[in-house]
Amino acid sequence: MKLTGAEILMKVLHEESVDTIFGFPGGAVIDIYDELVNTEINHYLVRHEQGAVHAADGYARASGKVGVCLVTSGPGATNTVTGIATAYMDSIPLVIFTGQVPTHLIGNDAFQEVDIVGISRPCTKHNYLVKRASDLARIIREAFYIARSGRPGPVLVDLPKDIMITKATYQTAVKPKIKSYRPHYEPNKRQLGKVIDLIKKAKRPVLFIGGGVILSKSSKDLTEFARRSQIPVTASLMGMGAFPGTDPLWLGMLGMHGTYRANMAIGASDLLISMGVRFDDRVTGKLDTFAPKAKIVHIDIDPTSIQKNIPVTIPIVGDCLHALKSLNEMAEKNNLGDVPRSRKSWLSQIDEWRSTRPLAYKTTKAIKPQFVIEKLYELTEGKAIITTEVGQNQMWAAQYYHFDKPDHFITSGGLGTMGFGLPAAIGAQVAHPDQTVVDIAGDGSIQMNIQEMATAMQYCLPVKVVILNNQYLGMVRQWQELFYEKRYACTCMKSGPDFVKLAKAYGAGGFRATRPDQVVDVLKKGLSYDGAAIMDFRVEKEESVYPMVPAGAPITEMLLV
Amino acid sequence: MMNEKHVISMLVDNEPGVLSRVAGLFSGRGYNIESLCVAETIDPDVSRITLVTRADPPILEQIEKQLNKLINVNKLRDLSGPESVQREMAMICVQARANNRAEILRIVDIFRCKVVDVGIEHYIIEVTGDEGKLMALINLLKPMGIKKIARTGVIALKREPG
């Protein structure tokens, strides 16, 4: 069967069960759009290509599927780069289709030509320039396969305009085979056996989990394992929600703004079982003082993550789901016996840390941002999908919203991309139309992709934006306060805009609270508003996130409230 | 042990962009490349890249893992040890005037290399060998005046058993 490139693209998207695309048309992809409207695929027209990638990213994180976007060549393509790098750092499966000038013009500095394959090479898992229509189907299938398998990541496919109108033979679904790409899922059983042995001997074990547990959909198995072996659990920002935030074994987040008990537990631990993490500097603090007394087990599907930052006692390459299933089986067979009971003194030590140094903030007459999140948590009963922007808003969200389920906390962890939250919320809302989706934002971050309010309005997506408005770039201001003698260089943003009026200009609901006693009311109004809404909370201007580990210090040396 | 030299040999897909993936990985992650040599193998779909780098053991481990992670890298081996044969070729254009023409030819003879181009005032010498041999020759020719030099960088193959 001979089909045009654009038709083949649609066929393969159908094979891959793609029903949602976020995109923005242009000259180089006009043939694709012409074909797209004949399909069942829902296309969401964003207002900026960066928004398309973040929306696809939010969609992927919320749904567990591959996120797809489609943009035109040149500036359309370059605008996706921040979104792609965001997804790459957080291992999110995306396929990004970019238009390209016709093959005979490539390299000629043609109108809207850019070497996006070259530009995106270091921030994609893999990328392709399609040079022949006959390669198209294979390449798209490979792109989806690479994006979702192994350690997931974004894959970019560059589509020259002439290829989209060239006819080629289309063969129905052939499973992609890439000889040099064989992700290693099954962990070594003998190594896992050693982990069980260590657990039996350990007095102060800690489980440290990251995004890998969420990506491999192994939260249930992790929870079972932690409870069975009575090991307290901490997580990186990316691992929040993989273990219930209301469980007594939960330590809270680890690292620079981690809880006192989580950071202290790592300092005292004699066995650290880490899964699906990569020991980012925001987690470890000063490397040679990280978990100084612990034997470290590291399970990750990506061999490059292991032994990269931290020397490991037991390295295990494999998928967290496979590993946890095996560990649960082994623990059951081996009968951990008295082991869980022997944890008593360790767990009571942790309780002591918890009660003496809980997460805390001082109340004043102003609205405390932490209070807003606490109330949001209460009013949504902890069930909302939360996306965040980046900075203080993100840290407070991680600290004060207690995530009980995976895929409910959607945040730019690795790259720390301001402007992520709103488009990601749009993507998450598309994936879960009936759930409450809230973007916890700062007044700085929200302005980086505020234009996507129009996208939310166009598709009647009732995303809620909670702006913790301190009229500062708060996290940088906090650093300036603590480490630069309060020299607030270029972090003040007092010119607005008026977010309530702005919301109304978009046709969305707009609400504002300036006093603590208005917080609950405004949250209620915003959350129950029929449609997208912005809630503007004028919070304490110079509030800081605590605990805080200064950059490069040991994580047990925290600045506290 | 620190910053030892390593010869890394890989079989890669012979398609555009693969070299830049490899080179980009080194520049992006701050690894060092001392030499790099690429050409097609017997299989036209496969090229061999031979790359010399200096790194301490943990960095070398990362380099190898990161290279293996590239979708287009099919096979990778460290060919630094005596179980492999390493060779490099150079062409050296040396100033050759009446007073040292004979001396240069004697050196060429001793090193079992070849003169591949002769002019009134120069020879181009072709030499093959390991790095030590090349450096020894270069040092001997330096006083005569080396006008220009082109080196291939190291290539290597693992010895077959038996």
Side-chain angles (χ1 to χ4, degrees):
Chain A
M1 186 172 34
K2 285 232 171 195
L3 299 174
T4 66
E7 288 168 336
I8 292 175
L9 172 59
M10 294 309 139
K11 285 272 185 197
V12 184
L13 290 179
H14 182 72
E15 281 172 27
E16 300 288 344
S17 320
V18 173
D19 54 14
T20 304
I21 290 182
F22 300 89
F24 200 103
V29 286
I30 202 163
D31 302 289
I32 302 174
Y33 273 89
D34 196 42
E35 202 53 49
L36 182 67
V37 291
N38 299 328
T39 69
E40 307 271 287
I41 295 172
N42 298 310
H43 178 272
Y44 293 86
L45 174 65
V46 295
R47 296 300 182 270
H48 185 292
E49 289 88 349
Q50 184 188 350
V53 189
H54 290 328
D57 184 324
Y59 175 85
R61 295 189 207 216
S63 68
K65 295 189 226 167
V66 178
V68 181
C69 25
L70 171 59
V71 300
T72 194
S73 63
T78 53
N79 275 346
T80 64
V81 172
T82 303
I84 295 173
T86 304
Y88 184 62
M89 286 290 264
D90 291 345
S91 312
I92 304 304
L94 298 184
V95 174
I96 301 99
F97 294 104
T98 50
Q100 183 53 282
V101 301
T103 43
H104 68 273
L105 284 179
I106 291 179
N108 275 8
D109 300 327
F111 177 65
Q112 292 195 329
E113 181 191 354
V114 79
D115 174 17
I116 193 62
V117 168
I119 289 172
S120 65
R121 199 170 282 136
C123 61
T124 49
K125 185 170 172 188
H126 197 53
N127 59 17
Y128 296 92
L129 167 63
V130 182
K131 287 191 171 158
R132 284 185 301 261
S134 56
D135 292 339
L136 184 63
R138 172 186 59 83
I139 286 177
I140 301 168
R141 286 176 193 132
E142 285 184 9
F144 276 89
Y145 170 61
I146 290 171
R148 71 161 72 92
S149 58
R151 175 178 177 178
V155 179
L156 181 141
V157 183
D158 203 18
L159 302 167
K161 188 173 163 79
D162 55 324
I163 302 286
M164 291 299 103
I165 48 174
T166 306
K167 287 205 169 188
T169 311
Y170 166 76
Q171 286 176 316
T172 39
V174 199
K175 226 182 145 199
K177 250 191 216 153
I178 310 168
K179 60 181 172 186
S180 57
Y181 176 70
R182 285 177 301 264
H184 188 89
Y185 287 92
E186 200 55 57
N188 184 308
K189 285 270 160 61
R190 201 185 304 160
Q191 293 285 84
L192 288 176
K194 289 186 198 162
V195 178
I196 297 286
D197 292 341
L198 285 178
I199 288 175
K200 284 184 181 166
K201 286 179 215 147
K203 296 268 182 300
R204 297 178 303 281
V206 175
L207 269 160
F208 168 36
I209 55 165
V213 173
I214 292 176
L215 288 163
S216 63
K217 302 182 171 58
S218 50
S219 295
K220 248 193 208 157
D221 307 82
L222 167 82
T223 308
E224 186 190 332
F225 182 66
R227 287 179 181 159
R228 183 200 295 275
S229 49
Q230 283 294 298
I231 303 180
V233 184
T234 182
S236 66
L237 186 69
M238 295 305 298
M240 301 296 283
F243 186 78
T246 47
D247 192 288
L249 287 170
W250 174 239
L251 291 170
M253 185 171 69
L254 180 67
M256 184 173 272
H257 296 293
T259 62
Y260 183 78
R261 61 184 192 278
N263 287 354
M264 293 306 285
I266 292 292
S269 168
D270 62 352
L271 175 62
L272 181 64
I273 304 170
S274 44
M275 295 187 185
V277 296
R278 55 189 179 84
F279 294 101
D280 180 88
D281 54 279
R282 284 295 188 269
V283 150
T284 60
K286 191 167 185 247
L287 271 178
D288 47 14
T289 57
F290 181 78
K293 298 169 195 157
K295 290 198 165 72
I296 299 181
V297 176
H298 191 182
I299 304 174
D300 199 275
I301 194 152
D302 180 3
T304 65
S305 289
I306 297 176
Q307 313 276 24
K308 182 171 70 176
N309 299 331
I310 291 275
V312 170
T313 321
I314 303 186
I316 301 175
V317 177
D319 175 72
C320 292
L321 183 65
H322 289 70
L324 279 160
K325 283 206 184 304
S326 298
L327 284 172
N328 273 322
E329 272 168 35
M330 287 178 180
E332 198 172 358
K333 258 192 232 150
N334 253 299
N335 186 15
L336 292 176
D338 276 347
V339 170
R341 250 172 291 153
S342 70
R343 301 269 190 264
K344 234 177 157 187
S345 68
W346 176 227
L347 294 178
S348 65
Q349 165 72 72
I350 288 167
D351 274 339
E352 194 192 313
W353 285 325
R354 188 196 320 253
S355 51
T356 53
R357 295 284 187 188
L359 280 173
Y361 57 91
K362 291 192 183 101
T363 41
T364 58
K365 278 185 189 161
I367 299 176
K368 289 290 173 168
Q370 300 93 329
F371 174 73
V372 177
I373 311 229
E374 283 177 335
K375 291 296 148 195
L376 176 68
Y377 175 71
E378 285 170 26
L379 289 169
T380 53
E381 296 168 341
K383 287 177 184 156
I385 295 177
I386 302 291
T387 71
T388 75
E389 305 292 337
V390 164
Q392 291 183 319
N393 60 80
Q394 179 186 33
M395 291 299 109
W396 284 319
Q399 289 179 334
Y400 288 91
Y401 202 97
H402 311 291
F403 297 93
D404 270 336
K405 282 188 192 154
D407 308 326
H408 278 58
F409 184 50
I410 296 175
T411 191
S412 168
L415 196 69
T417 306
M418 291 171 72
F420 174 80
L422 177 56
I426 288 173
Q429 190 77 75
V430 168
H432 298 288
D434 300 327
Q435 261 178 281
T436 303
V437 180
V438 182
D439 171 27
I440 295 178
D443 54 308
S445 283
I446 190 65
Q447 293 186 65
M448 282 210 180
N449 274 320
I450 188 83
Q451 78 285 347
E452 299 307 330
M453 279 307 288
T455 309
M457 294 312 295
Q458 179 163 347
Y459 299 97
C460 302
L461 299 165
V463 294
K464 314 296 181 191
V465 182
V466 168
I467 301 178
L468 306 173
N469 186 347
N470 55 12
Q471 303 193 325
Y472 275 113
L473 297 172
M475 187 57 94
V476 184
R477 186 211 57 77
Q478 173 173 346
W479 282 52
Q480 290 169 333
E481 177 191 333
L482 295 172
F483 313 117
Y484 293 83
E485 293 153 346
K486 285 203 173 192
R487 291 189 300 278
Y488 293 166
C490 311
T491 42
C492 184
M493 283 194 128
K494 60 184 164 201
S495 67
D498 180 330
F499 287 108
V500 173
K501 280 189 186 157
L502 188 62
K504 290 186 174 154
Y506 278 113
F511 307 94
R512 174 172 298 126
T514 51
R515 297 192 318 265
D517 61 318
Q518 299 168 325
V519 168
V520 170
D521 190 44
V522 164
L523 278 172
K524 277 186 183 161
K525 278 185 187 147
L527 290 169
S528 61
Y529 185 80
D530 185 18
I534 291 179
M535 291 158 262
D536 181 26
F537 295 92
R538 296 302 180 92
V539 298
E540 181 90 79
K541 289 193 175 177
E542 299 195 12
E543 184 68 15
S544 292
V545 181
Y546 291 108
M548 178 175 192
V549 180
I555 56 166
T556 45
E557 290 174 19
M558 286 161 270
L559 308 174
L560 297 159
V561 180
Chain B
M1 279 304 274
M2 294 305 280
N3 280 346
E4 241 175 63
K5 199 176 218 174
H6 289 270
V7 180
I8 293 172
S9 172
M10 36 192 147
L11 295 174
V12 303
D13 295 335
N14 184 12
E15 55 182 62
V18 175
L19 179 60
S20 78
R21 286 182 206 278
V22 171
L25 192 151
F26 275 74
S27 62
R29 293 189 180 266
Y31 307 145
N32 120 305
I33 299 181
E34 285 204 352
S35 73
L36 180 72
C37 190
V38 195
E40 202 173 286
T41 61
I42 292 291
D43 179 351
D45 292 336
V46 177
S47 289
R48 183 184 292 275
I49 296 181
T50 314
L51 186 151
V52 178
T53 184
R54 259 178 208 285
D56 59 20
I59 295 291
L60 181 73
E61 185 182 331
Q62 268 300 307
I63 292 176
E64 295 191 353
K65 283 173 167 179
Q66 294 284 359
L67 285 169
N68 264 319
K69 195 167 147 181
L70 295 176
I71 309 276
N72 299 116
V73 172
N74 301 324
K75 203 174 173 187
L76 180 148
R77 252 193 176 142
D78 187 338
L79 297 184
S80 308
E83 61 283 4
S84 314
V85 187
Q86 295 111 16
R87 286 292 180 275
E88 183 179 351
M89 193 184 109
M91 289 198 280
I92 306 166
C93 181
V94 63
Q95 229 151 49
R97 300 212 175 85
N99 61 341
N100 60 11
R101 289 181 87 88
E103 170 67 7
I104 293 170
L105 288 180
R106 266 197 299 280
I107 294 172
V108 165
D109 196 35
I110 291 165
F111 277 80
R112 280 179 282 172
C113 36
K114 268 193 291 195
V115 174
V116 289
D117 186 56
V118 187
I120 298 166
E121 294 210 323
H122 80 276
Y123 288 135
I124 294 181
I125 296 164
E126 175 201 308
V127 55
T128 309
D130 58 17
E131 203 199 3
K133 175 175 169 182
L134 259 65
M135 288 317 295
L137 178 65
I138 290 166
N139 285 334
L140 280 171
L141 292 177
K142 249 186 206 161
M144 330 275 183
I146 292 178
K147 290 159 80 96
K148 48 195 176 186
I149 184 164
R151 296 171 64 170
T152 57
V154 174
I155 53 168
L157 276 184
K158 192 173 158 56
R159 293 176 201 272
E160 290 290 310

